[in-house]
Amino acid sequence: MIPRFSPPPHSHKPTSRPTSRSILFRQSRYTYLALLLVLSYLLFRGDSPLSLLPHRAHRQSTSLHYNHVNWSRYAYFQYATSTAYLCNSVMIFEALNRLGSKADRILMYPAQWDTQIESQSDRDSQLLVKARDWYNVRLVPVDISVTHDKDAQDDQHEESSVKFAAWNTARYERVLYLASDTTILKPVDELFLLPSTPVAMMREHWNFPGKKALTSRLILLQPSDEEFERLSTSLRPNVRQNGDNGTQILNRFYGDTALILPHHAYGLLSSEFRIDDHRNYIGNTYDLWDPEKAVREASLVHFIDEPFPKPWVMWHHLLLAEKHPQCKEEDCRNKDTWMSLYDDFRKRRK
């Protein structure tokens, strides 16, 4: 409560002229009082700086919006070439919607799909309509045959080069691509407000420093017709080098120039909870691994967990018994966190 000051009683005695020292003290007192009021306001308002801490806010904090950001200049980008990954993309958009993201949302999908639901089993059309009507996603049908990745080893990477179409969205100043087999724990709109750069990505910290490569699981990019043409040209048979996939091409183009994003916030892997050596993730040899701290710091969790399949594929019970995280003495935090990440993904996918 602000102290209330009563005026001194009237006196007919002449008062002495205030000294410069007393005036300075009085001004300082009022200055401190004003600062106290401002800090109290910031601490207790809904969009205080404290609410920007990742573990303090479940929805996007309004102060992050700065109230002057034109979010229509930015967009999240997803593409899907199979029903499984279309479902994942819809889950990404659901999370963005739930967390209060303000940027636009784009989904590119094969042109042979449509939004006419012909039956209860027409899963692709149902998911497209849900993305459009529930999560305000802009649907963009594309011909993916020209970017088909013939050298892919599995369905996760089969159409990895389709992500190059993200550069062909010149109506936006910045576009953020996220791998769809990702769980979003906290808002990531802050990435759009980073200093201007053509491309921002993360390193494959799990291979660092032996292999200094970029991972394409998150790409913050500035759309450009010229870059789109350059990337598309790199896919032509007479130009493509040694059957490079999309990630290898991106490393060739941006490996030495991309702005590197911190993997603690945006690159936590589900496999980190199953391994014993965490030096690559931590970044040094003296800090201790703390699974709960890792989750608190993370905005994204990526499901990379060989030999385990992706979370929408059920495990064989023998594989689970042999390879799941083990408790150490009475510490089961790695196991519990790992299991909860998979359980959460599966529950949201139903």
Side-chain angles (χ1 to χ4, degrees):
M1 178 179 293
I2 303 174
R4 300 180 66 89
F5 298 96
S6 300
H10 292 289
S11 175
H12 297 288
K13 295 182 180 181
T15 58
S16 59
R17 188 178 185 88
T19 65
S20 59
R21 190 173 187 177
S22 65
I23 293 175
L24 180 61
F25 174 78
R26 189 178 307 156
Q27 291 176 339
S28 300
R29 183 177 60 187
Y30 291 142
T31 300
Y32 292 144
L33 181 60
L35 286 174
L36 179 61
L37 289 172
V38 171
L39 287 174
S40 299
Y41 173 70
L42 290 175
L43 284 172
F44 293 105
R45 63 186 297 199
D47 55 348
S48 73
L50 289 181
S51 69
L52 296 183
L53 294 175
H55 61 284
R56 292 292 295 271
H58 296 289
R59 290 183 60 86
Q60 186 71 284
S61 172
T62 54
S63 62
L64 182 60
H65 301 159
Y66 298 114
N67 298 322
H68 300 295
V69 176
N70 181 3
W71 291 102
S72 65
R73 301 181 302 174
Y74 310 121
Y76 288 91
F77 174 88
Q78 289 284 296
Y79 69 88
T81 58
S82 69
T83 302
Y85 282 89
L86 174 58
C87 186
N88 292 346
S89 292
V90 174
M91 291 172 65
I92 290 286
F93 293 129
E94 182 279 327
L96 293 172
N97 186 72
R98 170 168 39 86
L99 293 170
S101 171
K102 299 299 182 182
D104 284 2
R105 299 153 197 173
I106 305 171
L107 173 61
M108 293 190 178
Y109 62 94
Q112 63 266 28
W113 294 357
D114 60 50
T115 55
Q116 301 299 317
I117 302 176
E118 298 177 353
S119 68
Q120 291 295 324
S121 61
D122 189 357
R123 188 62 172 156
D124 294 336
S125 297
Q126 291 173 1
L127 290 170
L128 289 174
V129 169
K130 184 172 185 177
R132 182 193 65 194
D133 295 349
W134 289 32
Y135 307 127
N136 198 29
V137 176
R138 186 164 69 90
L139 303 180
V140 182
V142 294
D143 181 4
I144 66 170
S145 60
V146 295
T147 56
H148 184 78
D149 193 348
K150 296 182 177 60
D151 297 307
Q153 297 179 354
D154 56 55
D155 61 354
Q156 178 189 4
H157 299 96
E158 183 180 9
E159 310 295 347
S160 61
S161 302
V162 181
K163 66 171 65 76
F164 292 172
W167 274 265
N168 192 28
T169 54
R171 64 180 285 182
Y172 296 103
E173 292 185 12
R174 245 177 179 167
V175 167
L176 179 59
Y177 162 77
L178 297 174
S180 64
D181 52 342
T182 298
T183 286
I184 304 178
L185 300 177
K186 304 179 186 72
V188 292
D189 276 4
E190 72 274 5
L191 290 172
F192 292 113
L193 307 181
L194 288 174
S196 178
T197 183
V199 172
M201 301 171 69
M202 295 180 295
R203 294 284 186 201
E204 292 180 353
H205 67 271
W206 55 94
N207 290 324
F208 198 80
K211 182 181 178 183
K212 192 180 73 171
L214 300 172
T215 172
S216 62
R217 297 194 62 80
L218 182 156
I219 308 172
L220 178 68
L221 61 98
Q222 293 177 345
S224 163
D225 292 338
E226 292 78 13
E227 283 298 279
F228 174 65
E229 180 62 28
R230 192 164 76 104
L231 289 164
S232 299
T233 300
S234 70
L235 297 173
R236 296 174 183 170
N238 61 331
V239 177
R240 200 167 186 171
Q241 298 182 8
N242 302 319
D244 281 353
N245 62 32
T247 300
Q248 292 167 326
I249 291 172
L250 291 173
N251 268 277
R252 184 150 46 87
F253 280 26
Y254 306 114
D256 296 324
T257 59
L259 175 67
I260 303 302
L261 299 173
H263 63 267
H264 282 198
Y266 307 113
L268 179 60
L269 307 184
S270 56
S271 60
E272 197 69 40
F273 300 93
R274 289 197 305 109
I275 64 177
D276 295 322
D277 188 350
H278 302 280
R279 289 175 295 179
N280 281 2
Y281 179 82
I282 295 173
N284 60 57
T285 58
Y286 47 85
D287 285 329
L288 298 178
W289 164 252
D290 183 340
E292 295 174 345
K293 178 183 177 183
V295 172
R296 287 197 304 268
E297 292 178 343
S299 295
L300 306 172
V301 176
H302 305 268
F303 287 95
I304 298 180
D305 217 347
E306 295 181 357
F308 282 92
K310 294 299 181 180
W312 57 91
V313 179
M314 292 305 297
W315 306 313
H316 192 284
H317 68 281
L318 294 178
L319 177 65
L320 178 61
E322 180 183 356
K323 297 293 185 179
H324 71 72
Q326 302 295 322
C327 297
K328 294 184 178 180
E329 297 180 354
E330 296 183 357
D331 186 356
C332 293
R333 291 180 300 160
N334 280 311
K335 178 182 177 181
D336 293 343
T337 303
W338 185 81
M339 291 294 294
S340 67
L341 289 170
Y342 278 88
D343 289 344
D344 169 75
F345 188 98
R346 289 168 176 161
K347 288 176 181 178
R348 289 185 294 111
R349 190 179 172 88
K350 289 182 179 180

PDB file of all heavy atoms in Angstrom, residues 226-250:
ATOM      1  N   GLU A 226      14.590 -16.062 -55.746  1.00  0.00           N
ATOM      2  CA  GLU A 226      15.907 -16.449 -56.231  1.00  0.00           C
ATOM      3  C   GLU A 226      16.416 -17.689 -55.508  1.00  0.00           C
ATOM      4  O   GLU A 226      16.962 -18.614 -56.134  1.00  0.00           O
ATOM      5  CB  GLU A 226      16.899 -15.287 -56.043  1.00  0.00           C
ATOM      6  CG  GLU A 226      16.636 -14.073 -56.915  1.00  0.00           C
ATOM      7  CD  GLU A 226      15.491 -13.212 -56.396  1.00  0.00           C
ATOM      8  OE1 GLU A 226      15.064 -13.433 -55.231  1.00  0.00           O
ATOM      9  OE2 GLU A 226      15.012 -12.350 -57.157  1.00  0.00           O
ATOM     10  N   GLU A 227      16.237 -17.720 -54.169  1.00  0.00           N
ATOM     11  CA  GLU A 227      16.690 -18.882 -53.418  1.00  0.00           C
ATOM     12  C   GLU A 227      15.862 -20.113 -53.762  1.00  0.00           C
ATOM     13  O   GLU A 227      16.391 -21.227 -53.837  1.00  0.00           O
ATOM     14  CB  GLU A 227      16.625 -18.603 -51.915  1.00  0.00           C
ATOM     15  CG  GLU A 227      17.748 -17.740 -51.392  1.00  0.00           C
ATOM     16  CD  GLU A 227      19.099 -18.392 -51.598  1.00  0.00           C
ATOM     17  OE1 GLU A 227      19.490 -19.264 -50.805  1.00  0.00           O
ATOM     18  OE2 GLU A 227      19.774 -18.034 -52.596  1.00  0.00           O
ATOM     19  N   PHE A 228      14.570 -19.921 -53.958  1.00  0.00           N
ATOM     20  CA  PHE A 228      13.726 -21.048 -54.343  1.00  0.00           C
ATOM     21  C   PHE A 228      14.185 -21.635 -55.675  1.00  0.00           C
ATOM     22  O   PHE A 228      14.280 -22.853 -55.831  1.00  0.00           O
ATOM     23  CB  PHE A 228      12.263 -20.617 -54.434  1.00  0.00           C
ATOM     24  CG  PHE A 228      11.354 -21.690 -54.961  1.00  0.00           C
ATOM     25  CD1 PHE A 228      11.159 -22.870 -54.244  1.00  0.00           C
ATOM     26  CD2 PHE A 228      10.694 -21.534 -56.169  1.00  0.00           C
ATOM     27  CE1 PHE A 228      10.322 -23.863 -54.722  1.00  0.00           C
ATOM     28  CE2 PHE A 228       9.860 -22.525 -56.654  1.00  0.00           C
ATOM     29  CZ  PHE A 228       9.672 -23.694 -55.929  1.00  0.00           C
ATOM     30  N   GLU A 229      14.508 -20.783 -56.621  1.00  0.00           N
ATOM     31  CA  GLU A 229      14.990 -21.258 -57.920  1.00  0.00           C
ATOM     32  C   GLU A 229      16.334 -21.965 -57.773  1.00  0.00           C
ATOM     33  O   GLU A 229      16.574 -23.010 -58.388  1.00  0.00           O
ATOM     34  CB  GLU A 229      15.107 -20.075 -58.883  1.00  0.00           C
ATOM     35  CG  GLU A 229      15.595 -20.452 -60.279  1.00  0.00           C
ATOM     36  CD  GLU A 229      14.654 -21.399 -60.998  1.00  0.00           C
ATOM     37  OE1 GLU A 229      13.435 -21.349 -60.698  1.00  0.00           O
ATOM     38  OE2 GLU A 229      15.128 -22.182 -61.840  1.00  0.00           O
ATOM     39  N   ARG A 230      17.208 -21.423 -56.941  1.00  0.00           N
ATOM     40  CA  ARG A 230      18.522 -22.025 -56.746  1.00  0.00           C
ATOM     41  C   ARG A 230      18.400 -23.407 -56.092  1.00  0.00           C
ATOM     42  O   ARG A 230      19.065 -24.363 -56.492  1.00  0.00           O
ATOM     43  CB  ARG A 230      19.381 -21.099 -55.882  1.00  0.00           C
ATOM     44  CG  ARG A 230      20.857 -21.462 -55.828  1.00  0.00           C
ATOM     45  CD  ARG A 230      21.674 -20.292 -55.301  1.00  0.00           C
ATOM     46  NE  ARG A 230      21.543 -20.120 -53.872  1.00  0.00           N
ATOM     47  CZ  ARG A 230      22.486 -20.471 -52.982  1.00  0.00           C
ATOM     48  NH1 ARG A 230      23.612 -21.019 -53.407  1.00  0.00           N
ATOM     49  NH2 ARG A 230      22.309 -20.260 -51.698  1.00  0.00           N
ATOM     50  N   LEU A 231      17.532 -23.512 -55.084  1.00  0.00           N
ATOM     51  CA  LEU A 231      17.327 -24.793 -54.424  1.00  0.00           C
ATOM     52  C   LEU A 231      16.654 -25.800 -55.354  1.00  0.00           C
ATOM     53  O   LEU A 231      17.022 -26.982 -55.373  1.00  0.00           O
ATOM     54  CB  LEU A 231      16.493 -24.598 -53.158  1.00  0.00           C
ATOM     55  CG  LEU A 231      17.190 -23.890 -51.997  1.00  0.00           C
ATOM     56  CD1 LEU A 231      16.169 -23.411 -50.966  1.00  0.00           C
ATOM     57  CD2 LEU A 231      18.208 -24.810 -51.339  1.00  0.00           C
ATOM     58  N   SER A 232      15.672 -25.337 -56.102  1.00  0.00           N
ATOM     59  CA  SER A 232      14.979 -26.236 -57.028  1.00  0.00           C
ATOM     60  C   SER A 232      15.924 -26.755 -58.098  1.00  0.00           C
ATOM     61  O   SER A 232      15.866 -27.932 -58.477  1.00  0.00           O
ATOM     62  CB  SER A 232      13.793 -25.506 -57.671  1.00  0.00           C
ATOM     63  OG  SER A 232      12.852 -25.099 -56.708  1.00  0.00           O
ATOM     64  N   THR A 233      16.793 -25.890 -58.574  1.00  0.00           N
ATOM     65  CA  THR A 233      17.769 -26.302 -59.589  1.00  0.00           C
ATOM     66  C   THR A 233      18.684 -27.394 -59.052  1.00  0.00           C
ATOM     67  O   THR A 233      19.082 -28.303 -59.787  1.00  0.00           O
ATOM     68  CB  THR A 233      18.597 -25.089 -60.048  1.00  0.00           C
ATOM     69  OG1 THR A 233      17.723 -24.101 -60.611  1.00  0.00           O
ATOM     70  CG2 THR A 233      19.631 -25.495 -61.087  1.00  0.00           C
ATOM     71  N   SER A 234      18.995 -27.317 -57.765  1.00  0.00           N
ATOM     72  CA  SER A 234      19.904 -28.305 -57.173  1.00  0.00           C
ATOM     73  C   SER A 234      19.314 -29.708 -57.170  1.00  0.00           C
ATOM     74  O   SER A 234      20.035 -30.689 -56.954  1.00  0.00           O
ATOM     75  CB  SER A 234      20.264 -27.897 -55.743  1.00  0.00           C
ATOM     76  OG  SER A 234      19.147 -28.039 -54.879  1.00  0.00           O
ATOM     77  N   LEU A 235      18.001 -29.835 -57.410  1.00  0.00           N
ATOM     78  CA  LEU A 235      17.342 -31.138 -57.419  1.00  0.00           C
ATOM     79  C   LEU A 235      17.363 -31.801 -58.791  1.00  0.00           C
ATOM     80  O   LEU A 235      17.027 -32.986 -58.903  1.00  0.00           O
ATOM     81  CB  LEU A 235      15.888 -30.986 -56.964  1.00  0.00           C
ATOM     82  CG  LEU A 235      15.668 -30.494 -55.538  1.00  0.00           C
ATOM     83  CD1 LEU A 235      14.190 -30.231 -55.301  1.00  0.00           C
ATOM     84  CD2 LEU A 235      16.196 -31.489 -54.533  1.00  0.00           C
ATOM     85  N   ARG A 236      17.730 -31.052 -59.802  1.00  0.00           N
ATOM     86  CA  ARG A 236      17.733 -31.623 -61.147  1.00  0.00           C
ATOM     87  C   ARG A 236      18.783 -32.723 -61.257  1.00  0.00           C
ATOM     88  O   ARG A 236      19.869 -32.615 -60.691  1.00  0.00           O
ATOM     89  CB  ARG A 236      17.995 -30.534 -62.171  1.00  0.00           C
ATOM     90  CG  ARG A 236      16.893 -29.468 -62.224  1.00  0.00           C
ATOM     91  CD  ARG A 236      17.263 -28.335 -63.143  1.00  0.00           C
ATOM     92  NE  ARG A 236      16.227 -27.297 -63.124  1.00  0.00           N
ATOM     93  CZ  ARG A 236      16.365 -26.097 -63.687  1.00  0.00           C
ATOM     94  NH1 ARG A 236      17.508 -25.787 -64.311  1.00  0.00           N
ATOM     95  NH2 ARG A 236      15.383 -25.222 -63.627  1.00  0.00           N
ATOM     96  N   PRO A 237      18.458 -33.794 -61.977  1.00  0.00           N
ATOM     97  CA  PRO A 237      19.387 -34.945 -62.058  1.00  0.00           C
ATOM     98  C   PRO A 237      20.787 -34.571 -62.536  1.00  0.00           C
ATOM     99  O   PRO A 237      21.772 -35.152 -62.078  1.00  0.00           O
ATOM    100  CB  PRO A 237      18.687 -35.873 -63.058  1.00  0.00           C
ATOM    101  CG  PRO A 237      17.237 -35.518 -62.948  1.00  0.00           C
ATOM    102  CD  PRO A 237      17.198 -34.047 -62.690  1.00  0.00           C
ATOM    103  N   ASN A 238      20.879 -33.604 -63.432  1.00  0.00           N
ATOM    104  CA  ASN A 238      22.199 -33.238 -63.957  1.00  0.00           C
ATOM    105  C   ASN A 238      22.958 -32.303 -63.023  1.00  0.00           C
ATOM    106  O   ASN A 238      24.113 -31.971 -63.277  1.00  0.00           O
ATOM    107  CB  ASN A 238      22.066 -32.587 -65.332  1.00  0.00           C
ATOM    108  CG  ASN A 238      21.243 -31.316 -65.292  1.00  0.00           C
ATOM    109  OD1 ASN A 238      20.358 -31.184 -64.455  1.00  0.00           O
ATOM    110  ND2 ASN A 238      21.536 -30.377 -66.180  1.00  0.00           N
ATOM    111  N   VAL A 239      22.308 -31.876 -61.930  1.00  0.00           N
ATOM    112  CA  VAL A 239      22.944 -30.956 -60.982  1.00  0.00           C
ATOM    113  C   VAL A 239      23.146 -31.618 -59.624  1.00  0.00           C
ATOM    114  O   VAL A 239      24.147 -31.369 -58.949  1.00  0.00           O
ATOM    115  CB  VAL A 239      22.099 -29.669 -60.822  1.00  0.00           C
ATOM    116  CG1 VAL A 239      22.716 -28.742 -59.778  1.00  0.00           C
ATOM    117  CG2 VAL A 239      21.947 -28.956 -62.164  1.00  0.00           C
ATOM    118  N   ARG A 240      22.240 -32.464 -59.259  1.00  0.00           N
ATOM    119  CA  ARG A 240      22.251 -33.090 -57.942  1.00  0.00           C
ATOM    120  C   ARG A 240      23.540 -33.869 -57.720  1.00  0.00           C
ATOM    121  O   ARG A 240      23.966 -34.639 -58.585  1.00  0.00           O
ATOM    122  CB  ARG A 240      21.046 -34.017 -57.831  1.00  0.00           C
ATOM    123  CG  ARG A 240      20.640 -34.360 -56.425  1.00  0.00           C
ATOM    124  CD  ARG A 240      19.276 -35.012 -56.449  1.00  0.00           C
ATOM    125  NE  ARG A 240      18.752 -35.240 -55.124  1.00  0.00           N
ATOM    126  CZ  ARG A 240      17.520 -35.628 -54.897  1.00  0.00           C
ATOM    127  NH1 ARG A 240      16.691 -35.803 -55.917  1.00  0.00           N
ATOM    128  NH2 ARG A 240      17.104 -35.837 -53.663  1.00  0.00           N
ATOM    129  N   GLN A 241      24.143 -33.698 -56.583  1.00  0.00           N
ATOM    130  CA  GLN A 241      25.429 -34.310 -56.275  1.00  0.00           C
ATOM    131  C   GLN A 241      25.255 -35.568 -55.437  1.00  0.00           C
ATOM    132  O   GLN A 241      24.755 -35.520 -54.309  1.00  0.00           O
ATOM    133  CB  GLN A 241      26.317 -33.314 -55.513  1.00  0.00           C
ATOM    134  CG  GLN A 241      26.651 -32.056 -56.301  1.00  0.00           C
ATOM    135  CD  GLN A 241      27.568 -31.126 -55.527  1.00  0.00           C
ATOM    136  OE1 GLN A 241      28.071 -31.474 -54.466  1.00  0.00           O
ATOM    137  NE2 GLN A 241      27.791 -29.944 -56.073  1.00  0.00           N
ATOM    138  N   ASN A 242      25.659 -36.708 -55.998  1.00  0.00           N
ATOM    139  CA  ASN A 242      25.689 -37.969 -55.252  1.00  0.00           C
ATOM    140  C   ASN A 242      24.368 -38.296 -54.573  1.00  0.00           C
ATOM    141  O   ASN A 242      24.352 -38.827 -53.457  1.00  0.00           O
ATOM    142  CB  ASN A 242      26.804 -37.936 -54.202  1.00  0.00           C
ATOM    143  CG  ASN A 242      28.170 -37.686 -54.817  1.00  0.00           C
ATOM    144  OD1 ASN A 242      28.485 -38.227 -55.877  1.00  0.00           O
ATOM    145  ND2 ASN A 242      28.978 -36.875 -54.173  1.00  0.00           N
ATOM    146  N   GLY A 243      23.275 -37.967 -55.232  1.00  0.00           N
ATOM    147  CA  GLY A 243      21.973 -38.286 -54.663  1.00  0.00           C
ATOM    148  C   GLY A 243      21.657 -37.557 -53.388  1.00  0.00           C
ATOM    149  O   GLY A 243      20.953 -38.086 -52.519  1.00  0.00           O
ATOM    150  N   ASP A 244      22.153 -36.336 -53.227  1.00  0.00           N
ATOM    151  CA  ASP A 244      21.910 -35.559 -52.010  1.00  0.00           C
ATOM    152  C   ASP A 244      20.426 -35.482 -51.704  1.00  0.00           C
ATOM    153  O   ASP A 244      19.601 -35.258 -52.593  1.00  0.00           O
ATOM    154  CB  ASP A 244      22.448 -34.131 -52.168  1.00  0.00           C
ATOM    155  CG  ASP A 244      23.953 -34.069 -51.983  1.00  0.00           C
ATOM    156  OD1 ASP A 244      24.540 -35.089 -51.614  1.00  0.00           O
ATOM    157  OD2 ASP A 244      24.531 -32.988 -52.203  1.00  0.00           O
ATOM    158  N   ASN A 245      20.087 -35.636 -50.425  1.00  0.00           N
ATOM    159  CA  ASN A 245      18.712 -35.372 -50.010  1.00  0.00           C
ATOM    160  C   ASN A 245      18.591 -33.900 -49.627  1.00  0.00           C
ATOM    161  O   ASN A 245      19.555 -33.129 -49.704  1.00  0.00           O
ATOM    162  CB  ASN A 245      18.284 -36.302 -48.868  1.00  0.00           C
ATOM    163  CG  ASN A 245      19.126 -36.117 -47.615  1.00  0.00           C
ATOM    164  OD1 ASN A 245      19.609 -35.028 -47.316  1.00  0.00           O
ATOM    165  ND2 ASN A 245      19.288 -37.193 -46.862  1.00  0.00           N
ATOM    166  N   GLY A 246      17.387 -33.520 -49.190  1.00  0.00           N
ATOM    167  CA  GLY A 246      17.145 -32.107 -48.905  1.00  0.00           C
ATOM    168  C   GLY A 246      18.063 -31.546 -47.844  1.00  0.00           C
ATOM    169  O   GLY A 246      18.581 -30.432 -47.975  1.00  0.00           O
ATOM    170  N   THR A 247      18.304 -32.304 -46.770  1.00  0.00           N
ATOM    171  CA  THR A 247      19.150 -31.819 -45.692  1.00  0.00           C
ATOM    172  C   THR A 247      20.583 -31.623 -46.156  1.00  0.00           C
ATOM    173  O   THR A 247      21.246 -30.637 -45.800  1.00  0.00           O
ATOM    174  CB  THR A 247      19.113 -32.801 -44.508  1.00  0.00           C
ATOM    175  OG1 THR A 247      17.767 -32.909 -44.034  1.00  0.00           O
ATOM    176  CG2 THR A 247      20.007 -32.335 -43.377  1.00  0.00           C
ATOM    177  N   GLN A 248      21.091 -32.535 -46.956  1.00  0.00           N
ATOM    178  CA  GLN A 248      22.455 -32.407 -47.468  1.00  0.00           C
ATOM    179  C   GLN A 248      22.597 -31.198 -48.383  1.00  0.00           C
ATOM    180  O   GLN A 248      23.616 -30.501 -48.364  1.00  0.00           O
ATOM    181  CB  GLN A 248      22.853 -33.692 -48.180  1.00  0.00           C
ATOM    182  CG  GLN A 248      23.007 -34.880 -47.237  1.00  0.00           C
ATOM    183  CD  GLN A 248      23.082 -36.199 -47.972  1.00  0.00           C
ATOM    184  OE1 GLN A 248      22.451 -36.404 -49.010  1.00  0.00           O
ATOM    185  NE2 GLN A 248      23.857 -37.134 -47.427  1.00  0.00           N
ATOM    186  N   ILE A 249      21.578 -30.922 -49.171  1.00  0.00           N
ATOM    187  CA  ILE A 249      21.621 -29.752 -50.046  1.00  0.00           C
ATOM    188  C   ILE A 249      21.623 -28.474 -49.214  1.00  0.00           C
ATOM    189  O   ILE A 249      22.378 -27.531 -49.489  1.00  0.00           O
ATOM    190  CB  ILE A 249      20.430 -29.775 -51.018  1.00  0.00           C
ATOM    191  CG1 ILE A 249      20.596 -30.921 -52.019  1.00  0.00           C
ATOM    192  CG2 ILE A 249      20.295 -28.438 -51.755  1.00  0.00           C
ATOM    193  CD1 ILE A 249      19.389 -31.157 -52.895  1.00  0.00           C
ATOM    194  N   LEU A 250      20.794 -28.441 -48.169  1.00  0.00           N
ATOM    195  CA  LEU A 250      20.770 -27.263 -47.302  1.00  0.00           C
ATOM    196  C   LEU A 250      22.113 -27.049 -46.615  1.00  0.00           C
ATOM    197  O   LEU A 250      22.562 -25.909 -46.442  1.00  0.00           O
ATOM    198  CB  LEU A 250      19.656 -27.403 -46.266  1.00  0.00           C
ATOM    199  CG  LEU A 250      18.228 -27.334 -46.795  1.00  0.00           C
ATOM    200  CD1 LEU A 250      17.227 -27.665 -45.698  1.00  0.00           C
ATOM    201  CD2 LEU A 250      17.931 -25.955 -47.380  1.00  0.00           C
TER     202      LEU A 250
END
